Amino acid sequence: MILEKIKAEVGKAIVGMDDVVELMTIALIANGHILLEGVPGIAKTTLSKNFAQTLGLKFSRIQMTPDILPADIIGHTFYDMRTGEFKIRKGPIFANVVLVDEINRASPKTQSALLEAMEERQVTIEGLPLKLPEPFIVLATRNPVEMEGVYELPTAQVDRFMMKIDLTYLPEESEKAMLRRKNRGEFSEASQVVPVSELAKARREAMKVHVSDAIIDYIYSIVRETRLDERVIIGASPRAGEHLLYAAKVKAYLEGRSYVIPDDVKELSVPVLAHRVVVKPEYEVDGIDGKAVVREVLERIEVPTE
């Protein structure tokens, strides 16, 4: 099974990230992007790099800084003295798995350079549109602690991420296991275990997974309820419902089913919807966030029994 192969291989390089690897696999197959939020030192880069290696995909890392320019990401034209012609030098965005580290350190102008890439899967250099490789996924990291020298991500950009995954410290036993394996030198880099052709096949087959009208209604009801909650300024968008639908189809496929069940939707609702829900400041003070709203919505909405 494709997911188990990836988990086992990534496990050679990292400990306790099986749930995150599953969400990353779902997003990749579903043509989505992921926002990874967590404090430094919890192996976001190691995870992303080894995830790409299990699939034989080209990996690149872009370190965002306040002075980075859009051309540093997408590329630029230059004059070749040998040929007397202008040529295009492609930037690091031309990879399959692109880790955008500390995305909120870049200026809004530079962040916007990612919008076309994420949504259209192409970039434009000097008026020339260039297609990005397939498959293509952006894994953007954000440090939730530091507030100096960072820019708020625009709501429109946040909405383009299929999922937001909060990476926290490992449980005690997992962190001890990591230290023991480090001490014994047991970690190694992951190797390719899934051919790209199998990934393409998984994408085609996942989109064929059956979704009943009852499940469609269930997804819509969840999304709509986030908009009606009195504690919310902005609820989940129509794009959020689309992302939840596709993610549920992929999850069902990875679990060997040809149909989506309510549990697929429920398990993915928080990572897919919560980051799009903007809570009013007076409720944020009381500790209410998008996750809390989505979880309460799931409790209120009747689960289909068909």
Side-chain angles (χ1 to χ4, degrees), residues 77-105:
T77 58
F78 69 99
Y79 184 73
D80 190 331
M81 298 289 289
R82 291 172 298 179
T83 63
E85 297 176 344
F86 282 96
K87 293 184 177 179
I88 291 176
R89 179 176 286 120
K90 294 180 177 179
I93 197 71
F94 286 88
N96 301 109
V97 179
V98 180
L99 177 65
V100 180
D101 214 357
E102 294 188 298
I103 185 173
N104 52 333
R105 286 203 175 277

Side-chain angles (χ1 to χ4, degrees), residues 20-286:
V20 179
V21 170
E22 179 177 355
L23 292 175
M24 289 170 68
T25 304
I26 290 172
L28 179 63
I29 295 175
N31 267 330
H33 307 287
I34 292 179
L35 183 61
L36 298 167
E37 187 165 284
V39 297
I42 52 178
K44 295 186 289 290
T45 301
T46 302
L47 170 65
S48 303
K49 180 181 178 182
N50 282 277
F51 175 74
Q53 289 176 179
T54 64
L55 297 156
L57 300 176
K58 182 180 179 182
F59 172 81
S60 71
R61 178 178 177 273
I62 304 171
Q63 179 62 56
M64 291 297 217
T65 57
D67 61 346
I68 194 170
L69 300 173
D72 297 326
I73 297 173
I74 66 175
H76 59 274
T77 58
F78 69 99
Y79 184 73
D80 190 331
M81 298 289 289
R82 291 172 298 179
T83 63
E85 297 176 344
F86 282 96
K87 293 184 177 179
I88 291 176
R89 179 176 286 120
K90 294 180 177 179
I93 197 71
F94 286 88
N96 301 109
V97 179
V98 180
L99 177 65
V100 180
D101 214 357
E102 294 188 298
I103 185 173
N104 52 333
R105 286 203 175 277
S107 67
K109 179 180 179 180
T110 301
Q111 290 178 21
S112 68
L114 293 170
L115 293 181
E116 182 185 15
M118 293 170 64
E119 190 68 16
E120 305 298 332
R121 297 180 184 271
Q122 70 172 30
V123 298
T124 303
I125 301 176
E126 296 294 333
L128 180 66
L130 299 171
K131 288 289 184 184
L132 293 170
E134 283 289 342
F136 174 73
I137 183 172
V138 170
L139 304 173
T141 73
R142 181 167 65 177
N143 183 343
V145 178
E146 294 183 353
M147 296 300 175
E148 294 185 5
V150 299
Y151 299 86
E152 189 67 28
L153 291 184
T155 303
Q157 185 166 327
V158 171
D159 193 56
R160 280 171 167 78
F161 288 99
M162 174 175 274
M163 300 180 192
K164 175 175 172 284
I165 303 175
D166 292 317
L167 297 177
T168 57
Y169 295 116
L170 293 172
E172 179 180 347
E173 288 307 313
S174 294
E175 191 161 352
K176 286 180 180 178
M178 179 272 291
L179 291 172
R180 292 188 189 100
R181 288 180 62 182
K182 286 283 187 181
N183 183 51
R184 294 193 292 263
E186 292 179 352
F187 284 107
S188 60
E189 286 201 350
S191 302
Q192 183 175 3
V193 292
V194 177
V196 176
S197 59
E198 188 172 339
L199 186 64
K201 178 186 176 183
R203 180 170 290 168
R204 291 193 302 271
E205 294 299 317
M207 291 304 105
K208 296 177 183 176
V209 168
H210 175 69
V211 183
S212 68
D213 287 342
I215 295 293
I216 294 289
D217 292 342
Y218 185 49
I219 292 173
Y220 171 74
S221 296
I222 294 170
V223 171
R224 180 175 180 270
E225 191 68 18
T226 66
R227 303 169 192 163
L228 298 177
D229 195 295
E230 64 175 10
R231 299 167 296 179
V232 167
I233 300 173
I234 300 175
S237 65
R239 183 192 281 123
E242 180 184 351
H243 283 173
L244 185 54
L245 170 66
Y246 292 152
K249 285 163 74 83
V250 174
K251 181 173 177 59
Y253 169 78
L254 291 174
E255 293 186 357
R257 282 181 279 105
S258 60
Y259 53 91
V260 172
I261 61 175
D263 281 351
D264 297 327
V265 177
K266 290 179 71 174
E267 289 178 28
L268 291 167
S269 288
V270 170
V272 173
L273 303 181
H275 63 290
R276 309 168 197 258
V277 176
V278 180
V279 177
K280 293 176 182 177
E282 57 266 33
Y283 291 102
E284 282 187 328
V285 172
D286 294 331

